Amino acid sequence: MTARLIRGAMFCAVLVCAMPAGAQTVHLAVIVGLAGDPEHAELFQRWASTLVDGATGRLGIARDHVIYLSEQPEKDPKRATGKSTQQEIERAFATLAASAKEDDVVFVVLIGHGTFDGKVAKFNLPGPDMTPASFEPLLKGLPSNHVVFVNTASSSAPFLEELSGPGRTIVTATRTGAERFATLFGGYFVDALMSDSADADKNRRISVLEAFDAAKLGVARAYEQEGIMLTEHPLLDDSGDRKGTTDPKADGKNGRVASILSLGTAQSAEAMPADPKMRVLYEERRDLERRVEGLKLMKSGMEPARYASELEKLLTDLALKGKQIRDLEGKK
């Protein structure tokens, strides 16, 4: 690592530590690429809408500071601000560059599929795909010293290798471009950002590091539950070393800045029932929903009969859990 990169990373960390949490303005851009099929389209839209709604609701980010580009914006007109083409993405970054200040935090989250031909990685979009080289000048044009770029797609590791630099926290769903199967990381990462359970230090702020750790654990458990070999290993880099790690630490080479940066502070308790029994049922239902999402994303690596059988069982369990909740609610 060069001395310049070391100084840049340390300067970023000092700035964030010194700045009062309330002084930071957060800008969020959520970009959903090509889904490829209806199942992925539904999942990606759900992850994106959860992130947008949570950011503008639970975390209190101003609506005009949130950009949401979708493959089919007409299907979500209340949230989507445009179509996820390269041209619209460039316009979105121009908006961020004009509105974000030096001390603001800019989050960019990519949700979708990626490809890698052995040399160049791409994020799949309607129209021309975008490569790390496509995003580099866009990131360089941002005035903020605190940029978080999260690529939750398959084959996303090369984005970290090429976009790493001072003032940037880069997260990818894979550790190599060869990890090309559909990834679960995005769903768990979004869930973590919106969940009290990921708040390890109980300060009501889910840091990028906390969300990363929770998502990594969720992904590993999902593959273990299905008895499938783990085909995605997320990476995080906030030191500018272009390598990143699967195990970042708040006091490690990578993880220091990520342990500080967050989307914001929870404005109110998560919308969960106060009754302990009901709360457990809600959590169990969400766990089943996550398993259904994960199974759908792992479909391509499973035998059709096994996939159909496991999906039927999970959907049955989910329906029964819903009935338990309705029955208990009816007694109150």
Side-chain angles (χ1 to χ4, degrees), residues 26-30 45-62 66 79 107 109 111 150 185-200 202-215 261-272 279 283 286 290:
V26 178
H27 304 260
L28 171 66
V30 182
Q45 192 277 331
R46 186 185 308 163
W47 297 352
S49 61
T50 297
L51 180 53
V52 170
D53 289 347
T56 56
R58 173 183 170 84
L59 300 180
I61 299 175
V66 176
R79 299 186 185 91
F107 268 77
V109 181
I111 297 174
V150 183
F185 181 78
Y188 283 99
F189 188 77
V190 169
D191 278 346
L193 287 173
M194 302 303 154
S195 171
D196 289 337
S197 62
D199 186 11
K202 305 304 177 185
N203 66 347
R204 295 181 61 75
R205 296 173 68 88
I206 309 300
S207 70
V208 175
L209 179 60
E210 288 173 329
F212 178 91
D213 287 341
L261 294 176
S262 70
L263 266 177
T265 303
Q267 301 297 303
S268 61
E270 189 174 2
M272 292 283 281
R279 194 179 186 90
E283 291 171 348
R286 184 62 190 121
R290 287 193 185 101

Side-chain angles (χ1 to χ4, degrees), residues 234-262:
L235 285 179
L236 186 148
D237 168 67
D238 60 10
S239 68
D241 67 358
R242 297 182 178 272
K243 295 178 180 180
T245 178
T246 59
D247 190 28
K249 302 292 184 183
D251 59 353
K253 182 178 181 181
N254 284 295
R256 293 176 183 271
V257 178
S259 70
I260 300 167
L261 294 176
S262 70

Side-chain angles (χ1 to χ4, degrees), residues 80-161:
T81 57
K83 190 177 179 70
S84 54
T85 62
Q86 180 170 355
Q87 184 178 34
E88 286 298 314
I89 291 172
E90 290 172 350
R91 287 178 181 170
F93 270 85
T95 298
L96 292 171
S99 59
K101 308 301 181 185
E102 184 175 310
D103 289 334
D104 290 350
V105 179
V106 176
F107 268 77
V108 179
V109 181
L110 309 186
I111 297 174
H113 296 299
T115 57
F116 181 62
D117 64 4
K119 295 182 179 180
V120 179
K122 296 180 179 181
F123 179 63
N124 302 151
L125 297 168
D129 295 335
M130 290 185 69
T131 66
S134 307
F135 279 102
E136 172 57 33
L138 303 182
L139 292 177
K140 190 174 182 179
L142 297 175
S144 173
N145 290 320
H146 322 297
V147 176
V148 181
F149 185 91
V150 183
N151 186 345
T152 70
S154 48
S155 300
S156 50
F159 280 76
L160 181 147
E161 297 162 8

Side-chain angles (χ1 to χ4, degrees), residues 184 188 217-230 283-284 286-295 298 302 306 310 313-314:
L184 311 184
Y188 283 99
L217 182 60
V219 167
R221 285 176 175 170
Y223 278 85
E224 184 179 2
Q225 285 174 330
E226 299 304 328
I228 296 176
M229 182 179 69
L230 190 61
E283 291 171 348
E284 290 175 346
R286 184 62 190 121
D287 181 64
L288 285 168
E289 290 171 343
R290 287 193 185 101
R291 291 191 63 187
V292 170
E293 291 178 0
L295 187 66
M298 290 187 280
M302 301 177 66
R306 180 186 172 190
E310 293 195 17
K313 183 180 184 305
L314 283 174

